[in-house]
Amino acid sequence: MYLTAPLIALAALLVSHAVAAPAAKCKNPTNIVPNGNFETGSLAPWQLLTVIPPLDDFTAQYLQLGVDKPGYKSAYKFSVNDTLASSYVEVDIGQNVTLCQGQKYKLGAEFYMTDAHDGPQTYVELYIDQTRVAVSKASDAKGPPVVWTPLSGTFTASAQSQQVRVRFVATDYLTVQWGVDNVVITPA
């Protein structure tokens, strides 16, 4: 039996589809952001990525970083307190998370910030790697009360392992306090 060119092409197509392995389905972990609510009472597995000015330039009263009790619906939060009003403060925390490449996600958190001076000079940002996913409105608050505010944005995972980051910034001589809690990533 002789095969014609169209039959050979059809046979090749059928063989190529028959031997191709089905695409593996990626399964998201139950908790994509471990300790995103800081309920362990420690920072781990989060890490301090950036502290400007460097920690060596601070005394304990100048910049206080850490997990503490927020006095609302959660036992702990991560907070930053610039009590001596530095000219520029940037604190960046982050951790690596496992995602499904190509899948769309929502990154969200609750935050607060207080600013003892006038002006839109303090804000909070959420990142995946170097891509900003969400930024708060610049604060023009004049101090307490602390109001917890949701912040979120969407992104598409570009790799299986990516870094989730929370960045706090103050750009003038301010007395600023920030807090973040309930950092979550969910499929969008």
Side-chain angles (χ1 to χ4, degrees):
M1 177 169 128
Y2 294 100
L3 295 176
T4 63
L7 287 176
I8 292 173
L10 179 60
L13 181 65
L14 291 172
V15 168
S16 69
H17 279 61
V19 294
K25 289 206 176 212
C26 178
K27 186 173 180 183
N28 288 302
T30 303
N31 185 8
I32 295 175
V33 183
N35 200 24
N37 58 8
F38 305 97
E39 293 305 299
T40 64
S42 75
L43 190 58
W46 294 92
Q47 296 177 342
L48 281 172
L49 303 173
T50 305
V51 179
I52 297 174
L55 280 176
D56 294 345
D57 295 347
F58 290 114
T59 64
Q61 76 181 61
Y62 187 62
L63 181 68
Q64 300 166 0
L65 307 173
V67 177
D68 61 6
K69 294 186 180 260
Y72 83 121
K73 62 185 173 189
S74 175
Y76 293 95
K77 70 170 182 324
F78 178 78
S79 65
V80 178
N81 301 300
D82 177 19
T83 58
L84 295 183
S86 60
S87 62
Y88 180 85
V89 173
E90 178 182 336
V91 176
D92 197 355
I93 62 172
Q95 67 168 287
N96 290 330
V97 293
T98 301
L99 302 169
C100 295
Q101 187 172 355
Q103 183 169 339
K104 189 172 183 178
Y105 290 93
K106 178 180 178 183
L107 168 59
E110 292 179 84
F111 76 96
Y112 76 88
M113 58 188 164
T114 63
D115 173 351
H117 300 281
D118 293 336
Q121 298 141 329
T122 62
Y123 52 94
V124 177
E125 298 172 307
L126 302 178
Y127 282 83
I128 291 295
D129 292 333
Q130 300 302 314
T131 302
R132 186 170 70 184
V133 174
V135 61
S136 69
K137 291 182 180 178
S139 170
D140 60 355
K142 295 181 175 92
V146 169
V147 176
W148 286 92
T149 306
L151 180 64
S152 66
T154 59
F155 68 97
T156 300
S158 62
Q160 185 177 3
S161 178
Q162 292 192 262
Q163 187 176 66
V164 59
R165 296 175 32 225
V166 179
R167 181 174 176 247
F168 306 89
V169 179
T171 60
D172 204 349
Y173 294 93
L174 306 170
T175 300
V176 182
Q177 180 182 39
W178 297 273
V180 68
D181 205 355
N182 302 319
V183 180
V184 296
I185 295 176
T186 55

